[in-house]
Amino acid sequence: MATTPCHFHRNRRVQIKTSVFGVCVLLCGLSTFGYAAPVVIPINCGNPANLVGNISVDAAGGGVSGGFTSTVGGPPPTLAAAAAACGEDHFNWYQIVTADNKPPKDAGGNQIPVPPPAYVDPPPGGYSNQWADQLPWYWDETAPAPGTPNYDPGLQLSAQTTVDTLKFADFPGGAPGTNLSFSTWLVSLNADGSFHSWHEGFSWDWTNASGSGVASNITSLGKGVFPTDAQYKNIIGGFKTAVPIPASVWLLGSGLLMLMRRRSKV
Amino acid sequence: MTRSCARGLLVVLGATGLWLSGHMISLAATGHDGTTMKSAVLLRLGFDASQPDLLQPLKMRVIVSTQRLSDAHAFAHVASTAQAHRVFAFGAKLLIIGAGPVLDQPDELAVQPLERQGNKFVLHVHYTAARGAGIPLRRNVPWLPIVEVALPASLAPGEYQVSAHWQAVKSLSSGEPVGAAHRTKTYAFTIGPHDAGANPSR
């Protein structure tokens, strides 16, 4: 049968309808299995501002996961190139819990008060069942002495970093009825772990209303929306501001100084 | 001049040694993801945000292998290529490699002595389940426990079956069960005859 223009248009309409139906079925199927479109947040650095990468996070399986992936350097792109474009050493995350009706205990066994004020996740030293370093950043920048209880090397920054991506993952838990809200920002740090500058972030919720946890409402906090004093300066009092210099390095330094002094005397 | 120089050099060398040893200790601590528990080895396969769907298909699997896993990530390959039923040469050193349920960051486990009923082996593992107990978890990255346990040496030729029972407990010290155990499917394997003349590591 020859295809007339009329036949062609009708066939196209049928094809388009079929495609739209197919996409709807696919989207419905994906939403049924808990997959939604990830939230993508562009990160710009420099003057004039240039895109250095994107945060992409998604809710699935009772938590939030994703990361910041560099789009600069190489090719292929690298996190180091993104950090250099931002004039800093490396990236990490800064996360606060803005709502928590059943807060945990800190590393000292003290009950964390119900927010407000928000608390940093993890608090200095971590939780009663989880070691964390003394910096306010999400992934640990330093490791404890061997044998330290409740230490998980999988929470080290190095374990959550690839050549081009800083990963993010959080799968909270709590008794039925627990309701949590988080705000999470990408942060630029100096080599010693001290703060350099903020980047954009996202907020999200977690609830255990029905006996199994669900993460939801991942929302970009907006361009240029960084932590307020109430979300950072006012709540980081118990943290260190940089990685402490090990005593062995002080010893090395003093040894070198002593050597130089002796040589200058001679 | 020489003596003072040497003394200074000694101080510098000593300090450098201290600094290096500290670093090696911390490297060993961060690079270590396997814990030896008598005859069992525990590996942690952490949730990876770049492969968010990796853990679910691997959980509650048990296989028998002649080769130790080089690391937790090797389990994904070993599990995906494992045959449903395998024949091993007589005398081969065999390992049960089993993955349990996806656990949360503070959870711990203890491998119990291997149970044998004739030609059936059951690997019992106790684990704590913070999530099930309603313990607050905030910064939490899930992980998949993988255990390696040696089967008795020199199994006689014949047909064998292996399964694993993962039991949540209130605490590892009490061993008091919480709910029913998760049971893996049974993995069947055969030990070939004495005179097969095959390489035991087949």
Side-chain angles (χ1 to χ4, degrees), chain A residues 35 65-66 100 102 104 119 121-122 127 129-132 138-140 143 146 150-153 155 167-175 178 180 206 248-249 251-252 255-256 258-259 262 266, chain B residues 1 4-9 11-16 18-19 23 25-26 29-33 44 47-50 52-53 104-106 130-131 133-143:
Chain A
Y35 291 94
S65 68
D100 186 344
K102 298 181 180 188
Y119 67 88
D121 181 22
Y127 295 102
N129 56 8
Q130 181 187 96
W131 183 91
Y138 189 70
W139 300 126
D140 296 321
N150 302 323
Y151 168 62
D152 180 358
L155 301 176
K167 299 175 199 174
F168 177 80
D170 196 3
F171 291 77
T178 302
L180 311 172
W206 186 89
S248 51
V249 174
L251 199 62
L252 179 68
L256 282 169
M258 200 164 78
L259 182 68
R262 296 258 178 178
V266 176
Chain B
M1 150 82 183
S4 62
C5 245
R7 208 179 298 155
L9 198 65
V11 170
V12 171
L13 281 175
T16 311
L18 264 175
W19 182 76
H23 262 251
I25 288 164
S26 69
T30 54
H32 182 74
D33 68 343
R44 290 172 72 113
F47 173 85
D48 184 345
S50 59
D53 301 322
D104 291 295
Q105 194 272 330
R131 185 172 296 273
I135 292 169
L137 306 167
R138 296 300 176 262
R139 180 177 68 162
N140 179 53
V141 179
W143 57 285

Side-chain angles (χ1 to χ4, degrees), chain B residues 41-57:
Chain B
V41 173
L42 164 64
L43 298 164
R44 290 172 72 113
L45 181 57
F47 173 85
D48 184 345
S50 59
Q51 296 175 280
D53 301 322
L54 179 67
L55 301 191
Q56 287 300 325

Side-chain angles (χ1 to χ4, degrees), chain B residues 16-124:
Chain B
T16 311
L18 264 175
W19 182 76
L20 280 175
S21 65
H23 262 251
M24 280 189 270
I25 288 164
S26 69
L27 274 177
T30 54
H32 182 74
D33 68 343
T35 309
T36 305
M37 296 178 297
K38 292 180 182 171
S39 58
V41 173
L42 164 64
L43 298 164
R44 290 172 72 113
L45 181 57
F47 173 85
D48 184 345
S50 59
Q51 296 175 280
D53 301 322
L54 179 67
L55 301 191
Q56 287 300 325
L58 296 176
K59 68 180 185 182
M60 298 309 296
R61 298 275 302 268
V62 67
I63 56 170
V64 173
S65 174
T66 54
Q67 292 189 323
R68 289 203 172 278
L69 297 175
S70 53
D71 58 41
H73 286 89
F75 182 71
H77 174 71
V78 170
S80 63
T81 56
Q83 293 157 340
H85 181 276
R86 203 171 157 190
V87 179
F88 295 99
F90 173 77
K93 288 180 180 172
L94 300 178
L95 297 161
I96 301 174
I97 302 178
V102 176
L103 301 182
D104 291 295
Q105 194 272 330
D107 292 337
E108 300 172 297
L109 57 86
V111 179
Q112 306 300 304
L114 191 63
E115 179 189 335
R116 181 172 186 176
Q117 296 168 342
N119 282 9
K120 291 180 181 174
F121 292 95
V122 183
L123 174 66
H124 292 273

Side-chain angles (χ1 to χ4, degrees), chain A residues 203-227:
Chain A
S203 62
W204 55 286
D205 297 330
W206 186 89
T207 183
N208 183 7
S210 59
S212 64
V214 177
S216 61
N217 297 333
I218 306 180
T219 311
S220 168
L221 290 165
K223 189 177 179 184
V225 177
F226 304 134

Side-chain angles (χ1 to χ4, degrees), chain A residues 217-244:
Chain A
N217 297 333
I218 306 180
T219 311
S220 168
L221 290 165
K223 189 177 179 184
V225 177
F226 304 134
T228 61
D229 284 355
Q231 292 170 320
Y232 179 62
K233 280 185 183 170
N234 300 352
I235 58 173
I236 59 158
F239 286 98
K240 298 263 192 296
T241 53
V243 175

Side-chain angles (χ1 to χ4, degrees), chain A:
Chain A
M1 187 179 75
T3 307
T4 63
C6 194
H7 271 113
F8 176 77
H9 285 297
R10 200 168 61 197
N11 288 346
R12 281 285 289 177
R13 273 202 299 272
V14 170
Q15 275 179 350
I16 289 167
K17 276 182 184 172
T18 311
S19 302
V20 169
F21 178 73
V23 169
C24 282
V25 167
L26 187 68
L27 287 176
C28 287
L30 287 176
S31 62
T32 305
F33 286 104
Y35 291 94
V39 172
V40 178
I41 305 165
I43 300 297
N44 297 287
C45 274
N47 192 11
N50 287 316
L51 182 75
V52 297
N54 292 295
I55 294 172
S56 176
V57 280
D58 198 1
V64 170
S65 68
F68 165 69
T69 302
S70 169
T71 54
V72 294
T78 62
L79 267 185
C86 296
E88 42 97 353
D89 185 75
H90 64 278
F91 297 96
N92 204 325
W93 303 100
Y94 174 69
Q95 177 160 285
I96 57 171
V97 184
T98 56
D100 186 344
N101 60 345
K102 298 181 180 188
K105 289 180 176 172
D106 66 16
N110 306 306
Q111 184 66 55
I112 296 172
V114 172
Y119 67 88
V120 180
D121 181 22
Y127 295 102
S128 58
N129 56 8
Q130 181 187 96
W131 183 91
D133 65 18
Q134 296 289 331
L135 296 171
W137 320 125
Y138 189 70
W139 300 126
D140 296 321
E141 301 245 339
T142 60
T148 299
N150 302 323
Y151 168 62
D152 180 358
L155 301 176
Q156 285 284 310
L157 177 68
S158 55
Q160 297 293 339
T161 306
T162 65
V163 171
D164 67 343
T165 300
L166 170 66
K167 299 175 199 174
F168 177 80
D170 196 3
F171 291 77
T178 302
N179 294 308
L180 311 172
S181 294
F182 297 86
S183 289
T184 311
W185 287 269
L186 183 69
V187 59
S188 279
L189 303 178
N190 300 308
D192 63 358
S194 60
F195 173 79
H196 180 275
S197 56
W198 293 114
H199 301 289
E200 281 73 10
F202 54 95
S203 62
W204 55 286
D205 297 330
W206 186 89
T207 183
N208 183 7
S210 59
S212 64
V214 177
S216 61
N217 297 333
I218 306 180
T219 311
S220 168
L221 290 165
K223 189 177 179 184
V225 177
F226 304 134
T228 61
D229 284 355
Q231 292 170 320
Y232 179 62
K233 280 185 183 170
N234 300 352
I235 58 173
I236 59 158
F239 286 98
K240 298 263 192 296
T241 53
V243 175
I245 298 171
S248 51
V249 174
W250 283 117
L251 199 62
L252 179 68
S254 52
L256 282 169
L257 274 175
M258 200 164 78
L259 182 68
M260 284 167 66
R261 216 176 65 183
R262 296 258 178 178
R263 285 192 69 176
S264 63
K265 272 185 185 173
V266 176

